[in-house]
Amino acid sequence: MQLFSCVCESVVFFENTECIDCRRTLGFDPFELRMLGLDSVSPAELSSPHSGKRYAKCANWVDYDACNWLVPQGNNSRYCEACRLNEIVPDLQNSEHLELWKRMEAAKRRLLYTLLSLGLRVTAKTDDPNGLAFRFLADSRLGRQPEGKSVTTGHARGVITINLAEADDIERAQAQERLGEAYRTLLGHFRHESGHYYWDQLVRNSPRLEQVREVFGDERADYKLALQQNYATGPAEGYEERYVSAYAASHPWEDWAETWAHYLHLIDSLETAHSFGIKTHVHARKLVEPEPGVLSSDAQGFAGVLQSWIWLSLAMNSLNRSMGMRDSYPFVLSAAVIRKLELVHQVVTTASQNQGQTWR
């Protein structure tokens, strides 16, 4: 995530709604991918001092203080482009649900920012049957649901469902311990499920399908049976040499989604480091030299991305150790995982070059 600036040139962040220096309202323009310092024209209308463009606050900003995205003048919806993707939200009269949903929305907006920054198209399902929609549902763990009612986080035909319990720190920590997942975050869930969506959009019927199968495996393998086996016995010994996580070893679809999520982690972290002026390119000597054949001839710059990431992750872990904390990046990227990340990079790069717009 990059740093932004207000009209008064003060540094502002992606989640801000007011500049602490000049007290202007801050809002995010999803079409320009910019945080804007705005002047009030009327109680319902804001104006950019630089461009003169007029905006309204998203309805979820006005009603629930759950958003900070702007709706350009002339838009037919009261909701911003991010909130228009919502198909189902939890019972917002429940104060616990409301607070957890706000965390959901913050993670979703971060996901969308990265997707848009990469040049990937984000289309609402209400506009296109192949578009994207979100369902945020609460199960019996959070009350107001029949006993035994469960919600499964997942993706199906463009609809991403997230269990509201994943926004609860205690519930997520318990699941992390129970499932043995060293790296389980709310944003990670969004990134993982978006990987399933973009597999359908960018891989399923693309010329790269056979290449993806060669690297990730054949997704036509019985998915239900593969997950049953994974939950019963876990991944095979030595899975770390081929997969970015234990869950990735369960089925090629999950391998793709886990690798996709990891790629988004990597890209967003590098952008954040760059925005803060952190040097991520090593000039003195290379910290990693991929084995011959690990990176293909059409890597399209991924070798530089990988080099920068390894340097940054070492710095992140060293800083955490200086604070007496565990490593923030507890992974070692094997040659097989590097090849998978490179292929995701190529799919994203190709999609970005082929798509002339992002929203709709």
Side-chain angles (χ1 to χ4, degrees), residues 127-170:
D127 298 326
D128 182 348
N130 294 318
L132 182 61
F134 290 90
R135 295 176 180 176
F136 302 134
L137 303 175
D139 63 14
S140 56
R141 283 174 287 178
L142 296 177
R144 298 217 178 180
Q145 289 284 357
E147 189 65 31
K149 177 76 173 180
S150 62
V151 175
T152 301
T153 294
H155 166 267
R157 295 181 295 278
V159 178
I160 291 176
T161 300
I162 306 285
N163 190 331
L164 199 63
E166 293 295 342
D168 184 282
D169 293 337
I170 295 176

Side-chain angles (χ1 to χ4, degrees), residues 95 155 211:
S95 59
H155 166 267
Q211 183 185 13

Side-chain angles (χ1 to χ4, degrees), residues 10 32 43 59 64 66 89 114-115 173 212 222 250 253 260 264 270 316 335 341 351:
S10 294
E32 296 186 7
Y64 300 105
V89 297
T114 303
L115 297 176
V212 171
D222 191 310
S250 62
W253 272 337
W260 173 277
L264 297 188
L270 284 172
M316 290 162 51
L341 286 167

Side-chain angles (χ1 to χ4, degrees), residues 274-329:
H274 179 74
S275 291
F276 276 90
I278 298 173
K279 184 178 177 182
T280 58
H281 182 68
V282 185
H283 294 286
R285 64 182 181 88
K286 292 185 177 181
L287 292 175
V288 60
E289 186 67 51
E291 300 173 12
V294 172
L295 295 178
S296 66
S297 59
D298 63 336
Q300 299 185 39
F302 182 72
V305 173
L306 176 64
Q307 186 69 30
S308 294
W309 173 246
I310 290 177
W311 178 249
L312 177 61
S313 64
L314 288 173
M316 290 162 51
N317 288 344
S318 296
L319 287 169
N320 270 28
R321 293 174 189 179
S322 295
M323 295 292 292
M325 300 171 65
R326 65 182 182 180
D327 288 355
S328 63
Y329 186 74

Side-chain angles (χ1 to χ4, degrees), residues 3 41 72 117 220 246 293 295 301 313 325 356:
L3 289 174
V41 178
S117 296
R220 292 170 293 188
L295 295 178
S313 64
M325 300 171 65

Side-chain angles (χ1 to χ4, degrees), residues 2-306:
Q2 65 174 299
L3 289 174
F4 300 93
S5 60
C6 179
V7 177
C8 69
E9 299 186 352
S10 294
V11 172
V12 298
F13 299 91
F14 186 60
E15 291 83 8
N16 291 158
T17 56
E18 183 182 73
C19 176
I20 61 173
D21 287 332
C22 72
R23 298 301 176 184
R24 278 187 172 86
T25 296
L26 298 171
F28 183 74
D29 183 335
F31 294 96
E32 296 186 7
L33 298 184
R34 292 177 57 202
M35 287 289 293
L36 303 178
L38 302 157
D39 294 329
S40 294
V41 178
S42 69
E45 193 173 16
L46 301 164
S47 174
S48 168
H50 284 324
S51 67
K53 291 182 179 179
R54 302 292 180 93
Y55 301 90
K57 292 181 178 179
C58 173
N60 282 334
W61 187 351
V62 175
D63 297 339
Y64 300 105
D65 193 27
C67 184
N68 69 337
W69 283 28
L70 299 166
V71 181
Q73 187 179 53
N75 196 304
N76 293 325
S77 175
R78 292 182 60 236
Y79 294 93
C80 71
E81 297 300 311
C83 290
R84 287 185 65 247
L85 302 177
N86 292 347
E87 189 173 278
I88 298 176
V89 297
D91 176 11
L92 301 182
Q93 299 304 309
N94 181 319
S95 59
E96 182 184 13
H97 288 190
L98 176 60
E99 290 307 310
L100 295 178
W101 173 65
K102 287 182 179 181
R103 297 179 192 176
M104 288 277 194
E105 289 296 329
K108 184 189 74 178
R109 290 194 299 275
R110 277 197 166 248
L111 165 71
L112 295 174
Y113 170 84
T114 303
L115 297 176
L116 294 168
S117 296
L118 289 170
L120 296 173
R121 182 170 300 189
V122 180
T123 308
K125 207 165 185 61
T126 52
D127 298 326
D128 182 348
N130 294 318
L132 182 61
F134 290 90
R135 295 176 180 176
F136 302 134
L137 303 175
D139 63 14
S140 56
R141 283 174 287 178
L142 296 177
R144 298 217 178 180
Q145 289 284 357
E147 189 65 31
K149 177 76 173 180
S150 62
V151 175
T152 301
T153 294
H155 166 267
R157 295 181 295 278
V159 178
I160 291 176
T161 300
I162 306 285
N163 190 331
L164 199 63
E166 293 295 342
D168 184 282
D169 293 337
I170 295 176
E171 288 283 350
R172 190 173 61 257
Q174 290 175 344
Q176 183 179 25
E177 181 69 23
R178 184 174 65 254
L179 299 174
E181 296 181 354
Y183 203 80
R184 186 185 182 97
T185 67
L186 180 57
L187 180 54
H189 280 299
F190 278 91
R191 287 173 171 164
H192 173 98
E193 300 306 335
S194 76
H196 289 300
Y197 172 71
Y198 282 102
W199 194 95
D200 287 344
Q201 302 302 308
L202 305 178
V203 177
R204 182 185 294 277
N205 297 313
S206 79
R208 284 198 185 270
L209 178 58
E210 289 306 319
Q211 183 185 13
V212 171
R213 284 173 176 166
E214 289 175 7
V215 174
F216 287 90
D218 194 332
E219 83 289 348
R220 292 170 293 188
D222 191 310
Y223 180 72
K224 184 177 181 180
L225 178 61
L227 290 190
Q228 289 175 344
Q229 292 175 341
N230 176 71
Y231 291 131
T233 63
E237 186 177 353
Y239 75 88
E240 299 93 340
E241 291 300 313
R242 297 180 56 204
Y243 302 97
V244 74
S245 70
Y247 191 54
S250 62
H251 187 275
W253 272 337
E254 300 304 340
D255 191 10
W256 166 269
E258 285 286 89
T259 307
W260 173 277
H262 208 89
Y263 177 76
L264 297 188
H265 286 325
L266 181 156
I267 292 298
D268 193 27
S269 297
L270 284 172
E271 183 184 31
T272 302
H274 179 74
S275 291
F276 276 90
I278 298 173
K279 184 178 177 182
T280 58
H281 182 68
V282 185
H283 294 286
R285 64 182 181 88
K286 292 185 177 181
L287 292 175
V288 60
E289 186 67 51
E291 300 173 12
V294 172
L295 295 178
S296 66
S297 59
D298 63 336
Q300 299 185 39
F302 182 72
V305 173
L306 176 64

